[in-house]
Amino acid sequence: MAAAGAGDPSAVRTSGIPLSARPRWGPLLWRGCREPGPDALDADIDLFGWSYGGLIALEAATERRGLRSVIAYEPVSKPFGLEAIEPLRAALTMGDLDQAVEVVKRTMAGYSAGHVAALREDPVWPVLRPLAHPVADELTALNAHQPAFDRYRGIEAPVTLLLGERNENKPPYGTSFAVLAQALPQARLVRLPAQGHLAHTEAPDLLAKHLIDAITTRP
């Protein structure tokens, strides 16, 4: 999850994305937040979250007034990825990050063996390996939490929902996204062409463009 102040040139701070993978995201700033939780948020910020972080961003926005905007890229909610938790924990206990990424891609996301084999040869694979560390704990927390769907309509800040075009109406990310989008009829929906759940590694400039657009074109 990241928070941004729209006028200040700095690097975005994100959870789960290593520094080497972070793009030049223009005028984005994490201001006044020592930890990425709702209790640490100042009011005058733009709040961005991806996946589980997208859910956290939306939940935080139900409890905060004065946010400049909220942007969630393919937020997910329960039930999600339950069958992947134990295999993930086993792989992480062995220190096998390659196997952990494969569990995420095959068991949780439903990709084919061929797709994962090709992904292993892609430059994005080394980026995905460290991202696997928190996934089991995140999935456990995600499935233990009941989103405040009835409060989403009351979010005062402009909300932008980003959806990878390849995932629309497809499990697990697209179907989970649809549930959250239904609870946010006031949100602006933006589809990322030719993208799935990893635009921050596969098309960072495209994602940056839409983030900057979301925080600079508020009503």
Side-chain angles (χ1 to χ4, degrees):
M1 182 176 67
D8 307 295
S10 182
V12 70
R13 170 174 171 177
T14 60
S15 66
I17 302 176
L19 284 169
S20 61
R22 296 176 192 170
R24 299 182 301 276
W25 280 5
L28 302 178
L29 177 67
W30 181 282
R31 298 196 317 190
C33 296
R34 291 183 297 275
E35 297 294 337
D39 293 337
L41 297 180
D42 292 333
D44 187 22
I45 59 174
D46 298 274
L47 188 60
F48 165 66
W50 161 65
S51 196
Y52 176 51
L55 175 65
I56 294 172
L58 292 171
E59 294 287 290
T62 68
E63 301 177 4
R64 289 293 182 269
R65 299 293 180 264
L67 296 174
R68 295 162 64 94
S69 67
V70 182
I71 308 148
Y73 171 25
E74 293 197 353
V76 295
S77 64
K78 72 171 189 179
F80 189 85
L82 286 166
E83 67 283 1
I85 295 175
E86 289 309 314
L88 263 173
R89 292 202 186 282
L92 292 169
T93 296
M94 294 186 295
D96 190 343
L97 292 180
D98 292 310
Q99 178 61 22
V101 175
E102 183 154 342
V103 170
V104 170
K105 293 302 175 186
R106 297 215 59 202
T107 305
M108 191 173 84
Y111 290 125
S112 67
H115 176 91
V116 174
L119 195 61
R120 281 178 176 268
E121 303 303 317
D122 192 281
V124 76
W125 188 265
V127 177
L128 297 177
R129 292 177 79 254
L131 296 184
H133 278 295
V135 176
D137 288 340
E138 289 179 353
L139 286 173
T140 300
L142 173 68
N143 284 286
H145 177 72
Q146 177 57 51
F149 290 136
D150 59 333
R151 299 172 60 187
Y152 281 15
R153 289 173 182 259
I155 295 175
E156 295 179 352
V159 179
T160 300
L161 297 176
L162 303 178
L163 172 65
E165 187 179 58
R166 297 201 310 260
N167 284 338
E168 188 163 10
N169 297 322
K170 297 178 181 177
Y173 301 111
T175 49
S176 187
F177 176 91
V179 172
L180 288 152
Q182 186 175 14
L184 287 156
Q186 78 274 28
R188 182 171 70 109
L189 174 59
V190 176
R191 293 170 177 83
L192 303 179
Q195 295 304 308
H197 199 61
L198 296 174
H200 52 285
T201 58
E202 296 177 348
D205 289 341
L206 175 67
L207 180 59
K209 173 184 178 297
H210 286 293
L211 287 176
I212 292 168
D213 180 64
I215 67 175
T216 57
T217 60
R218 293 183 299 268

